[in-house]
Amino acid sequence: MHLTIGVEVAHAILKAKAVTRISTMAHKIAFFNHKGGVSKTTTVFNLGWMLASKGKKVILVDTDPQCNLTGMALGEETEEDEARIEAIYNTTSNIKTGLAPAFESQPKAIEAVDCIPLRQDGLFLLPGHVGFAEYEVTLGIAQELSGSIQALRNLPGSINDLLEKTATKFNADYILIDMSPSLGSINQNPLMTSDFFLVPTTADFFSVMAIDSLSKVLPKWYAWAKSASSLQILKDANYPFPDVNLRFLGTIVQNYRIIRGKETAAFQTWIQKIEQTVANKLKSTLCQNNMLLADQVYTEQGIESSFTLTKISNFNSLIALSQEHQTPIYNLTPQQLGQTGIVLENNQRKQEEFRQTFSELADRIIGLTSAYAISA
């Protein structure tokens, strides 16, 4: 195992460098739902672009080994795109190589990732890596907080250290973390060391099941994180495990169909069931584990007890064009749409709806996070 190679030498060098935790004002927001197909990646990309267009510096972080966010942001439609991505990975840091000093016991400290600037000013990508999944088992062992913790003490705090150093380098206001649909350690760690999280959902039975499941999973993860943050051995690590201050922003319900300006009856039923499950079950769990903002903070942003931040209808054909042009759905030009007549008019009307939706969502995110920063 890589971790056993030269571990004492690596630790000695790191200690000599006096590696300390860097404090940053960037808000880390995790997008998490262990149910797949809920448009997490699309939401992260479109919201990040909108926040940047409002003057915020935003880093999009791809922690999903499937690298869908990386593909969407960089493009992978042509051979030219693939060659450009290969060149980026040959010369630029990514999530896996950024964490390699900790996970592969390299005799150097974790450094800020050289993120990729995207087509919107103030928007950057910390690329994912398929091989990031290789670290899952080792991180899971470290997070058991058992006898192995002495040798693996630098791992639980390493992801947070990497993100904070990167945020400082780019003077970021927000870090948006696109997570995989799983309950593994690679999700547990960045979620519990984030400042905020939101849960994208779709209007269906399985999203109701997922929220019910989260009500059982989150208390266990929170208890683990509080235990980890209290251990002196992790406080003294080269990459200290941070205090746990995770807060819930809300849910996003998306991918439902609209007919004559309204959700169809079937989708409206599932939207109501999702909101009821959040209000009646998830809210109680979050309250007991101190993962909610003050009631007044939600009220000021017009968020009710269901914690629905916004509802986003089906993207239809626009999502494919967005991915092809590495551009948010609402920013596609008529030339990129490649349409004319009534079809173009309908899609432009749809684009304007999406622009308004994501603008309001961005404003709510800014309002929620700013209010918490002031109160804290």
Side-chain angles (χ1 to χ4, degrees):
M1 182 182 291
H2 288 301
L3 290 163
T4 63
I5 301 174
V7 67
E8 295 303 327
V9 174
H11 288 167
I13 293 174
L14 286 171
K15 284 296 184 184
K17 288 178 175 287
V19 178
T20 57
R21 182 185 176 208
I22 294 175
S23 177
T24 175
M25 294 301 292
H27 298 302
K28 297 191 292 291
I29 305 177
F31 289 68
F32 178 63
N33 188 339
H34 55 304
K35 177 191 181 298
V38 294
S39 297
K40 288 191 297 292
T41 299
T42 305
T43 302
V44 169
F45 182 69
N46 282 267
L47 176 59
W49 192 292
M50 181 59 73
L51 285 168
S53 74
K54 291 176 179 285
K56 303 298 182 182
K57 288 189 176 180
V58 182
I59 300 174
L60 308 181
V61 179
D62 192 351
T63 65
D64 186 347
Q66 296 183 63
C67 300
N68 290 328
L69 177 61
T70 302
M72 174 176 280
L74 299 182
E76 52 182 351
E77 299 295 322
T78 67
E79 291 183 6
E80 183 178 327
D81 289 333
E82 294 289 357
R84 181 167 51 85
I85 292 175
E86 182 180 6
I88 288 172
Y89 274 84
N90 286 337
T91 60
T92 309
S93 296
N94 55 71
I95 190 74
K96 182 175 186 284
T97 58
L99 290 168
F103 280 85
E104 300 179 22
S105 294
Q106 297 177 354
K108 62 178 182 179
I110 284 176
E111 299 176 351
V113 170
D114 188 13
C115 295
I116 311 299
L118 301 182
R119 296 179 180 179
Q120 167 65 47
D121 289 344
L123 185 63
F124 304 88
L125 173 72
L126 196 168
H129 195 293
V130 173
F132 185 35
E134 297 167 19
Y135 294 160
E136 179 98 56
V137 173
T138 307
L139 182 60
I141 294 171
Q143 292 182 175
E144 290 176 0
L145 307 182
S146 59
S148 61
I149 195 62
Q150 175 64 36
L152 305 178
R153 63 186 180 275
N154 287 324
L155 301 191
S158 60
I159 297 176
N160 181 70
D161 184 86
L162 179 71
L163 296 185
E164 290 203 337
K165 286 176 177 173
T166 303
T168 299
K169 176 178 180 177
F170 287 87
N171 194 27
D173 298 298
Y174 289 95
I175 294 177
L176 307 187
I177 307 172
D178 185 27
M179 306 174 73
S180 66
S182 79
L183 293 177
S185 58
I186 282 179
N187 276 350
Q188 179 182 13
N189 186 291
L191 176 61
M192 286 297 135
T193 55
S194 291
D195 302 301
F196 307 97
F197 76 107
L198 55 80
V199 179
T201 68
T202 53
D204 58 29
F205 170 72
F206 297 106
S207 280
V208 175
M209 288 180 64
I211 292 171
D212 182 73
S213 177
L214 283 178
S215 300
K216 302 168 186 175
V217 171
L218 289 175
K220 298 176 183 178
W221 282 11
Y222 183 80
W224 163 80
K226 293 296 286 186
S227 176
S229 66
S230 68
L231 289 178
Q232 194 64 41
I233 192 171
L234 295 186
K235 292 180 180 180
D236 295 338
N238 294 317
Y239 313 118
F241 193 86
D243 293 333
V244 181
N245 296 297
L246 181 64
R247 295 294 184 272
F248 180 57
L249 295 180
T251 65
I252 296 174
V253 182
Q254 46 200 344
N255 284 348
Y256 60 85
R257 286 194 291 273
I258 296 288
I259 296 179
R260 291 186 290 277
K262 292 185 178 182
E263 304 98 340
T264 63
F267 280 101
Q268 184 58 39
T269 297
W270 288 117
I271 290 172
Q272 290 174 351
K273 289 185 177 181
I274 288 172
E275 292 183 333
Q276 290 168 359
T277 305
V278 171
N280 299 331
K281 185 166 291 188
L282 184 60
K283 179 181 179 180
S284 176
T285 294
L286 297 173
C287 184
Q288 292 171 11
N289 291 276
N290 195 32
M291 283 191 277
L292 290 177
L293 300 170
D295 290 341
Q296 181 181 353
V297 175
Y298 295 110
T299 301
E300 289 174 351
Q301 298 303 319
I303 300 170
E304 300 178 352
S305 60
S306 64
F307 296 97
T308 303
L309 292 172
T310 193
K311 300 175 185 177
I312 304 173
S313 60
N314 198 305
F315 296 117
N316 295 324
S317 61
L318 293 177
I319 186 62
L321 291 169
S322 174
Q323 293 171 341
E324 178 182 348
H325 296 288
Q326 304 106 61
T327 300
I329 289 167
Y330 49 79
N331 261 31
L332 289 165
T333 66
Q335 292 73 26
Q336 290 171 332
L337 289 172
Q339 300 161 341
T340 59
I342 190 66
V343 175
L344 175 61
E345 291 178 13
N346 287 339
N347 271 334
Q348 287 181 320
R349 193 158 45 245
K350 195 71 174 173
Q351 281 183 284
E352 194 53 41
E353 291 176 13
F354 285 130
R355 182 185 303 279
Q356 184 67 23
T357 295
F358 278 100
S359 179
E360 292 175 356
L361 176 60
D363 288 342
R364 278 184 164 173
I365 296 295
I366 293 170
L368 290 168
T369 56
S370 298
Y372 179 68
I374 293 171
S375 65

